[in-house]
Amino acid sequence: MRYFPLKTVIFCLVFTPVLYITTLNFAQKYLNQNYLKKIEDISIGETSNLLEGFITIEEHLFKNIHTFFKTDNLVKYMGLDLNVIITTQKGKLLYADFINADVFMKNFQKKENIDKTAKRNFEILNAGLMFNVKINLSHGSRIANLILIAYFSFAILIFLVFYKIGSLNEKENNKIQISLIDDLQKEELSNKTLLENMKKERRNLLGTIKSLKVGFKEDKKKLKINEEDMFDEMVSLEAQLNSFNELKYENDKKINKLKTKIKKYERRKSSNNKRKEFDFIVKHFAVLYKNIEMNRKAISGYLSLNDDQKIKVEECVLLLDQNSDGSIIKRKVFSGKKHKTPCFEILFAYSGRLYFKKNENNKIEVLIIGTKNTQVKDMEFLHSL
């Protein structure tokens, strides 16, 4: 069988005895401790008769332990092999379950003095008793057999579960294989049909190729006839193309000359316009502000400003013209190559900068009008004065 659970069988055969032996050892240790505690608890019991001397300690232990054996379930029903030995601290035997009960009890039938018996019982109890409890759970005992049967039953159950799973898997696999075989057979039939269709199509294609070959030969003959006419036409077209290229080259030269003339004219026109605007601004400041002299650098900077900035800077110039001491000076800058001439900086429109000084005629000379972006070049200009 393909899905036979061989690994499960090996596991059960190996693991079950190991688990059985381990369980016996653990159970024996556990029962030894448990029954030792029980024997210690029930062996003495009520001590009034012992201390009064009505019964010897040997009889008391014998009655209590045998009563316990009759009432304990494992000893009574499961046949637990329990060996109990009780001695004094000096090693004198007080109880042993392997001694015949009748012989053991005859030794205590004789009546002794009650006081001596009570004294003897007290001395033994006061010295303490030694308990030795041993449980035999060897292979073949009733409890051992029950444990072995339980483990083998569980192993067989596991085997049956895995065997059932393997059987179901094999059935499912057989169904899949049968279905696959059916699909392959259907595919084989469809492939055969397709092959027949392809053979028919191949024959049709061969016929089409033959007819195309005949048509190709006929077209080739026609092309040979028209080849010379096409060559003559190509020669004439090439000549027309060359003449067109020459004409285009001449036109491009004329266009480039015209573009050059237009650029020169526009430059002259723009320079004339700038010059007129420059002259107009010079006259503008000269007429409106009598106490102000404008440097050419300042006029150029003024022309590069936007409308708002022009209004703000002209307001500063007006203040300088009317009362130069009333203007707000940001800082003093020394101009000239040796930096000996003091100049003053005024801010306008946040980023605008105006630099001025007093010349020899005691007039205000505006040296530079610029912005924060041109400040580096403006300072270089001041130092070069």
Side-chain angles (χ1 to χ4, degrees):
M1 182 180 176
R2 184 179 176 183
Y3 291 94
F4 184 78
L6 182 61
K7 292 181 180 179
T8 305
V9 173
I10 295 171
F11 174 79
C12 292
L13 290 175
V14 173
F15 187 70
T16 302
V18 172
L19 188 62
Y20 165 71
I21 294 169
T22 305
T23 305
L24 280 184
N25 292 332
F26 175 78
Q28 188 166 350
K29 290 179 182 179
Y30 172 75
L31 290 174
N32 275 335
Q33 295 175 358
N34 190 35
Y35 274 94
L36 175 61
K37 186 176 179 181
K38 286 183 178 180
I39 294 297
E40 288 176 350
D41 291 340
I42 60 95
S43 59
I44 301 302
E46 179 63 37
T47 59
S48 59
N49 290 332
L50 286 173
L51 297 177
E52 292 175 2
F54 294 122
I55 189 171
T56 61
I57 193 168
E58 288 86 351
E59 292 178 282
H60 186 74
L61 292 173
F62 180 83
K63 289 179 180 178
N64 288 342
I65 292 172
H66 274 264
T67 301
F68 172 74
F69 284 168
K70 290 178 181 179
T71 56
D72 187 75
N73 292 327
L74 288 178
V75 176
K76 185 177 180 180
Y77 298 109
M78 303 301 292
L80 181 66
D81 188 5
L82 179 64
N83 297 323
V84 180
I85 298 174
I86 303 174
T87 62
T88 64
Q89 291 292 335
K90 294 181 180 180
K92 183 179 179 181
L93 183 66
L94 298 177
Y95 176 82
D97 61 350
F98 54 82
I99 299 174
N100 186 276
D102 295 332
V103 175
F104 185 78
M105 290 299 295
K106 283 180 181 180
N107 294 329
F108 304 100
Q109 292 295 326
K110 297 177 181 179
K111 295 290 183 179
E112 294 184 359
N113 187 282
I114 292 175
D115 294 335
K116 287 183 179 180
T117 303
K119 183 180 180 181
R120 177 174 172 271
N121 291 342
F122 176 77
E123 289 175 352
I124 292 172
L125 290 174
N126 190 44
L129 302 178
M130 299 290 292
F131 293 88
N132 186 5
V133 177
K134 186 177 181 182
I135 293 174
N136 183 16
L137 282 181
S138 60
H139 180 66
S141 63
R142 187 179 297 177
I143 294 177
N145 290 338
L146 288 174
I147 294 171
L148 184 62
I149 291 168
Y151 281 147
F152 269 109
S153 299
F154 183 68
I156 291 169
L157 179 63
I158 293 173
F159 167 75
L160 291 174
V161 170
F162 279 90
Y163 181 80
K164 185 67 175 178
I165 293 171
S167 300
L168 293 174
N169 289 336
E170 187 175 12
K171 289 179 181 179
E172 187 67 25
N173 190 49
N174 289 335
K175 289 180 181 178
I176 294 170
Q177 287 180 351
I178 292 169
S179 176
L180 183 61
I181 291 170
D182 292 338
D183 293 339
L184 290 173
Q185 288 176 348
K186 292 177 182 177
E187 188 176 356
E188 184 181 6
L189 291 173
S190 64
N191 288 333
K192 286 180 179 179
T193 306
L194 182 63
L195 182 62
E196 293 294 329
N197 294 332
M198 289 177 70
K199 286 180 179 179
K200 291 178 182 179
E201 189 175 354
R202 183 173 176 273
R203 287 193 291 268
N204 294 331
L205 288 172
L206 288 173
T208 305
I209 291 169
K210 289 179 181 179
S211 63
L212 288 173
K213 283 182 177 179
V214 173
F216 176 73
K217 289 179 180 178
E218 293 178 354
D219 292 338
K220 194 174 181 181
K221 290 178 182 179
K222 292 178 181 179
L223 286 172
K224 284 182 179 178
I225 295 170
N226 297 327
E227 188 175 356
E228 293 181 358
D229 296 336
M230 289 177 68
F231 181 75
D232 294 336
E233 187 176 356
M234 287 173 66
V235 170
S236 64
L237 289 172
E238 188 174 358
Q240 291 178 10
L241 181 62
N242 290 332
S243 63
F244 174 76
N245 287 333
E246 290 177 0
L247 181 61
K248 184 176 179 296
Y249 177 73
E250 293 296 330
N251 289 333
D252 288 341
K253 285 174 70 177
K254 290 178 182 180
I255 289 168
N256 289 330
K257 286 179 181 180
L258 288 172
K259 284 181 179 180
T260 305
K261 288 179 180 180
I262 290 168
K263 285 181 181 178
K264 287 180 181 179
Y265 174 74
E266 287 177 350
R267 279 198 211 101
R268 287 175 187 171
K269 187 177 178 182
S270 62
S271 63
N272 289 332
N273 289 336
K274 285 182 180 178
R275 192 171 295 131
K276 287 178 182 179
E277 187 179 3
F278 189 87
D279 294 338
F280 173 77
I281 296 300
V282 171
K283 290 178 182 179
H284 173 78
F285 279 100
V287 171
L288 293 177
Y289 312 109
K290 302 295 182 179
N291 298 321
I292 300 294
E293 290 184 2
M294 299 294 292
N295 189 289
R296 296 183 65 84
K297 175 71 173 175
I299 298 296
S300 299
Y302 176 81
L303 290 172
S304 64
L305 300 176
N306 58 40
D307 293 339
D308 292 336
Q309 290 174 332
K310 285 178 180 179
I311 293 170
K312 293 292 183 182
V313 77
E314 197 161 343
E315 185 180 353
C316 294
V317 173
L318 177 62
L319 289 173
L320 289 172
D321 181 60
Q322 292 176 352
N323 181 14
S324 60
D325 296 331
S327 300
I328 300 174
I329 308 298
K330 183 186 178 186
R331 61 174 176 162
K332 182 188 287 186
V333 180
F334 291 93
S335 65
K337 294 184 178 179
K338 295 184 179 180
H339 311 312
K340 292 182 178 180
T341 306
C343 296
F344 302 96
E345 180 183 284
I346 297 176
L347 296 180
F348 65 90
Y350 300 106
S351 63
R353 306 284 192 277
L354 184 147
Y355 297 90
F356 71 94
K357 70 175 183 176
K358 287 187 177 181
N359 58 15
E360 299 84 4
N361 300 325
N362 202 24
K363 281 190 173 184
I364 301 296
E365 182 181 357
V366 179
L367 300 172
I368 298 172
I369 295 174
T371 62
K372 190 175 182 180
N373 295 330
T374 63
Q375 191 172 15
V376 177
K377 292 182 179 179
D378 294 341
M379 295 304 294
E380 289 177 357
F381 176 76
L382 282 176
H383 296 325
S384 67
L385 291 175

